[in-house]
Each structure stands twice: as C-alpha cells, then as structure tokens.
Amino acid sequence: MLNNEKLHSYIESLFPDRNPLFSEMENYASEHHVPIMELAGIETMLQLLRIHRSSRILEVGTAIGYSALRMAAALPEAKIVTIERDIERIQTAKEYIQRSGRAEQITLIEGDALLVEDAVRSHGPFDAIFIDAAKGQYKKFFELYATYLKAEGMVITDNVLFKGLVAEAEIESKRIRNLVKKIDEFNQWLMNHPEYDSVILPVGDGIAISTKKR
Ligand SMILES: C[S@@+](CC[C@H](N)C(=O)[O-])C[C@H]1O[C@@H](n2cnc3c(N)ncnc32)[C@H](O)[C@@H]1O
C-alpha cells in the first residue's frame, strides 16, 4: 500500500510552484477556511483533463474560483462553466477571475446548482463535469448534469473518500455519520451504474473518475 504521509509530502514537494495568483488563492483559502481541492487531487484532475483534451467543462462548486482558474490555465483553449451559491465566495471568485486575465474562459453561474439547469443548458454539452459541492447531494448533481455530458465525456467527483471516513466502522458525530453514509451510498451507486465505468483514486480527498460506457 503506497499511501502514507511521507510519500504524500514527497509527491506534493515535487509539484512545481504555482504562479503568484494561485499561491495567493491557496493562502486565502487556508486563512478563510474555504475548502479548495487538495493539491494532489487537483494535479491529478488537471492531468486527466489534459489527456482527455476536455474543451468544455462544467464545474459544480466554484468557491473562490481556484479550481476553475487552474483548469483554465492548464487548458488555455477550454471554456469553463462554474456554479456557486454562496454570495461572498461568488464575489471573491469574480475578483480573482478578473485579476487572472482569464475571464473570457470562465462563466460563473450564480445560484443553487439544482436550480440553475436552464442557465447551464445553453453552455452544454460538456466534455467533462467536475462535481465539488454539497457532498450529500452528489447523486442529484450527477443525475441532473450527466444529461449534458457528451458521449465520450468524463465526470470527476471530489471528496468521495471524505478524509478516509468512508472506511471507518464507527463515527461518533451523528452529522458526520449521516454525511459519510450519503457519500458511501453515492459511491456504491456510481460504481454499479449500468451506463458508466468508474474508478476511485485515493488521491487528495478521493476522486471518482467516470466515463460513459461505449
Ligand atoms: C469544496 S468547495 C469548491 C472548491 C472548488 N471547486 C475548488 O477546488 O477551488 C464547494 C463549494 O460548493 C458550493 N456549493 C455547495 N452546494 C452547492 C449547490 N447546491 N449549488 C451551488 N454551489 C454549492 C459551496 O458554497 C462551496 O463554495
């Protein structure tokens, strides 16, 4: 089992430094407790998107725009549509997107992802969908937006291992226990979905990669 703290730190140390704006965003997220994607997770996702040559990407859960801007920088030809409902984060994301010089690549849709389907529809279909919002609603996000996925499309879902808690037999907090149960139910549903091939990678907080079956 190649999954330990030392190795994790070693891998993270090998990633090249991000540009100053991304470092600033990472610091902002850390200081303001904004849960942006973990480094190993995002680097893995970016590499998958490069291999896949995704050019139209839908993201559910913008936060401050970190992953959207990382995708835009990694795939300069790509257009990213990203959804966020938190007003303060929307404002911060807008500021970072303006400062990045990549505003033309990114469309930020404001509102609850389960209620903005009409606004999203006109931007589809998508090569890739990245789900990184309320963990208890992953199945709903997946079912709603997979409709707008191209035949060769890929869905990436973050936090499916939820700090390893999905493999814990006993969890004290009832709230966390319920959330873990929902994530586990999503994982079981996804891995047995008749229309998708999926795999879960134990990087970052656990990412699931799903592609439509041929
Ligand atoms: C984990 S953060 C996203 C991090 C971002 N993808 C990144 O890595 O930079 C999840 C975000 O999803 C937003 N969110 C949660 N549920 C949502 C929903 N139903 N509709 C829209 N946004 C939602 C939260 O407000 C939060 O900012």
Side-chain angles (χ1 to χ4, degrees):
M1 189 65 179
L2 277 181
N3 208 357
N4 64 41
E5 283 294 314
K6 243 186 183 170
L7 216 44
H8 183 250
S9 304
Y10 171 73
I11 292 169
E12 288 218 334
S13 75
L14 292 176
F15 290 126
D17 286 343
R18 270 76 61 208
N19 73 32
L21 186 71
F22 291 146
S23 299
E24 184 184 324
M25 293 177 86
E26 288 167 12
N27 291 336
Y28 177 97
S30 162
E31 280 163 25
H32 294 82
H33 308 289
V34 179
I36 61 170
M37 203 177 187
E38 287 183 33
L39 200 52
I42 196 151
E43 296 291 350
T44 304
M45 177 174 80
L46 295 177
Q47 188 67 340
L48 285 165
L49 293 170
R50 288 187 196 102
I51 294 166
H52 187 249
R53 298 185 196 282
S54 305
S55 63
R56 214 158 252 282
I57 303 167
L58 172 67
E59 173 181 68
V60 184
T62 318
I64 59 169
Y66 179 74
S67 50
L69 282 172
R70 297 275 335 251
M71 289 190 279
L75 301 148
E77 306 299 320
K79 298 275 189 218
I80 292 121
V81 176
T82 180
I83 313 170
E84 176 58 55
R85 67 178 175 188
D86 181 284
I87 291 167
E88 203 178 313
R89 289 184 182 167
I90 288 170
Q91 193 48 42
T92 310
K94 281 182 177 170
E95 288 165 20
Y96 279 126
I97 291 166
Q98 278 312 320
R99 284 177 57 197
S100 73
R102 296 193 175 276
E104 281 175 15
Q105 278 179 269
I106 299 178
T107 303
L108 175 54
I109 294 179
E110 302 176 26
D112 190 307
L114 296 175
L115 303 174
V116 294
E117 184 183 359
D118 287 347
V120 172
R121 184 182 296 120
S122 60
H123 298 280
F126 300 96
D127 300 294
I129 299 175
F130 171 40
I131 300 175
D132 191 18
K135 297 182 216 2
Q137 302 199 297
Y138 275 5
K139 187 168 170 242
K140 285 187 185 163
F141 298 139
F142 193 111
E143 285 184 315
L144 179 59
Y145 289 117
T147 327
Y148 303 102
L149 192 64
K150 289 184 190 169
E152 309 288 311
M154 169 171 71
V155 183
I156 299 172
T157 313
D158 193 26
N159 310 112
V160 295
L161 298 180
F162 196 26
K163 305 175 204 319
L165 291 173
V166 285
E168 289 299 325
E170 310 235 327
I171 296 164
E172 218 170 284
S173 152
K174 192 175 173 208
R175 189 182 70 82
I176 302 287
R177 202 164 56 235
N178 285 338
L179 197 48
V180 168
K181 188 168 172 272
K182 283 203 164 167
I183 295 171
D184 177 48
E185 280 167 6
F186 170 77
N187 289 343
Q188 307 272 357
W189 172 81
L190 184 63
M191 296 303 288
N192 291 293
H193 199 299
E195 291 164 29
Y196 289 86
D197 290 310
S198 296
V199 67
I200 291 175
L201 303 182
V203 287
D205 199 26
I207 53 177
I209 321 292
S210 310
T211 50
K212 277 191 183 174
K213 285 188 180 168
R214 301 268 168 105

Short mmCIF file of all heavy atoms in Angstrom, two decimals, residues 49 52-58 125-129 148-150 152-155:
data_model
loop_
_atom_site.label_atom_id
_atom_site.label_comp_id
_atom_site.label_asym_id
_atom_site.label_seq_id
_atom_site.Cartn_x
_atom_site.Cartn_y
_atom_site.Cartn_z
N LEU A 49 -7.74 15.83 -17.37
CA LEU A 49 -8.41 16.72 -18.32
C LEU A 49 -7.52 16.99 -19.53
O LEU A 49 -8.01 17.10 -20.66
CB LEU A 49 -8.79 18.05 -17.64
CG LEU A 49 -9.87 17.95 -16.55
CD1 LEU A 49 -9.99 19.27 -15.78
CD2 LEU A 49 -11.23 17.58 -17.15
N HIS A 52 -7.58 13.85 -21.65
CA HIS A 52 -8.93 13.75 -22.23
C HIS A 52 -9.17 14.85 -23.27
O HIS A 52 -10.08 14.76 -24.07
CB HIS A 52 -9.94 13.86 -21.07
CG HIS A 52 -11.36 13.61 -21.45
ND1 HIS A 52 -12.30 14.61 -21.45
CD2 HIS A 52 -12.00 12.50 -21.85
CE1 HIS A 52 -13.47 14.11 -21.82
NE2 HIS A 52 -13.31 12.83 -22.07
N ARG A 53 -8.34 15.89 -23.23
CA ARG A 53 -8.48 17.07 -24.10
C ARG A 53 -9.87 17.71 -23.96
O ARG A 53 -10.52 18.03 -24.96
CB ARG A 53 -8.22 16.71 -25.57
CG ARG A 53 -6.82 16.22 -25.83
CD ARG A 53 -6.57 16.00 -27.31
NE ARG A 53 -5.39 15.18 -27.55
CZ ARG A 53 -4.15 15.62 -27.47
NH1 ARG A 53 -3.91 16.86 -27.17
NH2 ARG A 53 -3.13 14.80 -27.70
N SER A 54 -10.29 17.86 -22.73
CA SER A 54 -11.60 18.46 -22.49
C SER A 54 -11.56 19.93 -22.90
O SER A 54 -10.62 20.65 -22.56
CB SER A 54 -11.96 18.39 -21.00
OG SER A 54 -11.88 17.06 -20.55
N SER A 55 -12.57 20.36 -23.63
CA SER A 55 -12.55 21.78 -24.00
C SER A 55 -13.77 22.53 -23.46
O SER A 55 -13.81 23.74 -23.46
CB SER A 55 -12.46 21.93 -25.52
OG SER A 55 -13.58 21.37 -26.12
N ARG A 56 -14.75 21.79 -23.01
CA ARG A 56 -15.93 22.42 -22.41
C ARG A 56 -16.18 21.71 -21.08
O ARG A 56 -16.49 20.51 -21.05
CB ARG A 56 -17.11 22.21 -23.36
CG ARG A 56 -18.08 23.34 -23.39
CD ARG A 56 -18.88 23.33 -24.68
NE ARG A 56 -18.46 24.43 -25.54
CZ ARG A 56 -18.82 25.69 -25.37
NH1 ARG A 56 -19.64 26.03 -24.41
NH2 ARG A 56 -18.39 26.63 -26.18
N ILE A 57 -16.02 22.45 -20.01
CA ILE A 57 -16.07 21.82 -18.69
C ILE A 57 -17.12 22.49 -17.81
O ILE A 57 -17.18 23.72 -17.76
CB ILE A 57 -14.68 21.92 -17.99
CG1 ILE A 57 -13.60 21.28 -18.88
CG2 ILE A 57 -14.70 21.27 -16.61
CD1 ILE A 57 -12.17 21.60 -18.44
N LEU A 58 -17.91 21.68 -17.12
CA LEU A 58 -18.88 22.20 -16.15
C LEU A 58 -18.37 21.87 -14.75
O LEU A 58 -18.05 20.71 -14.47
CB LEU A 58 -20.26 21.56 -16.36
CG LEU A 58 -21.30 21.90 -15.29
CD1 LEU A 58 -21.69 23.38 -15.34
CD2 LEU A 58 -22.55 21.03 -15.46
N PRO A 125 -23.33 20.84 -24.85
CA PRO A 125 -22.92 19.74 -23.98
C PRO A 125 -21.45 19.88 -23.55
O PRO A 125 -20.68 20.60 -24.16
CB PRO A 125 -23.13 18.50 -24.85
CG PRO A 125 -22.95 18.99 -26.24
CD PRO A 125 -23.45 20.40 -26.26
N PHE A 126 -21.09 19.13 -22.50
CA PHE A 126 -19.76 19.26 -21.89
C PHE A 126 -18.91 18.01 -22.14
O PHE A 126 -19.42 16.89 -22.19
CB PHE A 126 -19.90 19.50 -20.39
CG PHE A 126 -20.67 20.75 -20.08
CD1 PHE A 126 -22.04 20.69 -19.80
CD2 PHE A 126 -20.05 21.99 -20.10
CE1 PHE A 126 -22.76 21.85 -19.55
CE2 PHE A 126 -20.76 23.15 -19.85
CZ PHE A 126 -22.12 23.09 -19.58
N ASP A 127 -17.59 18.25 -22.23
CA ASP A 127 -16.64 17.13 -22.33
C ASP A 127 -16.39 16.54 -20.95
O ASP A 127 -16.11 15.36 -20.81
CB ASP A 127 -15.30 17.62 -22.88
CG ASP A 127 -15.44 18.21 -24.26
OD1 ASP A 127 -15.77 17.47 -25.18
OD2 ASP A 127 -15.25 19.44 -24.39
N ALA A 128 -16.44 17.42 -19.95
CA ALA A 128 -16.16 16.95 -18.59
C ALA A 128 -17.03 17.72 -17.59
O ALA A 128 -17.34 18.89 -17.80
CB ALA A 128 -14.69 17.15 -18.27
N ILE A 129 -17.40 17.02 -16.53
CA ILE A 129 -18.15 17.63 -15.44
C ILE A 129 -17.37 17.36 -14.16
O ILE A 129 -16.96 16.22 -13.90
CB ILE A 129 -19.58 17.06 -15.34
CG1 ILE A 129 -20.35 17.35 -16.64
CG2 ILE A 129 -20.32 17.64 -14.14
CD1 ILE A 129 -21.74 16.72 -16.71
N TYR A 148 -26.07 16.44 -19.77
CA TYR A 148 -25.40 17.38 -20.68
C TYR A 148 -23.96 16.97 -20.97
O TYR A 148 -23.14 17.79 -21.36
CB TYR A 148 -25.45 18.80 -20.09
CG TYR A 148 -26.87 19.22 -19.83
CD1 TYR A 148 -27.40 19.19 -18.55
CD2 TYR A 148 -27.70 19.59 -20.89
CE1 TYR A 148 -28.73 19.53 -18.32
CE2 TYR A 148 -29.02 19.93 -20.67
CZ TYR A 148 -29.53 19.90 -19.38
OH TYR A 148 -30.84 20.22 -19.16
N LEU A 149 -23.68 15.69 -20.76
CA LEU A 149 -22.33 15.18 -20.99
C LEU A 149 -22.27 14.57 -22.39
O LEU A 149 -23.17 13.85 -22.81
CB LEU A 149 -22.03 14.09 -19.95
CG LEU A 149 -20.58 13.61 -19.82
CD1 LEU A 149 -19.67 14.74 -19.35
CD2 LEU A 149 -20.51 12.44 -18.83
N LYS A 150 -21.18 14.88 -23.12
CA LYS A 150 -21.01 14.30 -24.46
C LYS A 150 -20.81 12.79 -24.35
O LYS A 150 -20.43 12.29 -23.28
CB LYS A 150 -19.80 14.92 -25.16
CG LYS A 150 -20.01 16.36 -25.58
CD LYS A 150 -18.80 16.85 -26.34
CE LYS A 150 -18.89 18.35 -26.56
NZ LYS A 150 -17.63 18.93 -27.06
N GLU A 152 -18.44 10.89 -25.23
CA GLU A 152 -17.10 10.50 -24.76
C GLU A 152 -16.74 11.21 -23.45
O GLU A 152 -15.56 11.26 -23.08
CB GLU A 152 -16.04 10.88 -25.81
CG GLU A 152 -16.33 10.41 -27.22
CD GLU A 152 -16.15 8.91 -27.36
OE1 GLU A 152 -15.10 8.42 -26.93
OE2 GLU A 152 -17.04 8.24 -27.90
N GLY A 153 -17.74 11.75 -22.79
CA GLY A 153 -17.49 12.63 -21.64
C GLY A 153 -17.00 11.92 -20.38
O GLY A 153 -17.09 10.70 -20.24
N MET A 154 -16.50 12.75 -19.47
CA MET A 154 -15.93 12.23 -18.22
C MET A 154 -16.50 13.04 -17.05
O MET A 154 -16.64 14.26 -17.15
CB MET A 154 -14.41 12.41 -18.29
CG MET A 154 -13.67 12.18 -17.00
SD MET A 154 -11.86 12.15 -17.26
CE MET A 154 -11.53 13.87 -17.61
N VAL A 155 -16.84 12.34 -15.96
CA VAL A 155 -17.28 13.05 -14.75
C VAL A 155 -16.24 12.81 -13.65
O VAL A 155 -15.85 11.66 -13.41
CB VAL A 155 -18.67 12.55 -14.26
CG1 VAL A 155 -19.13 13.36 -13.05
CG2 VAL A 155 -19.70 12.61 -15.38
#
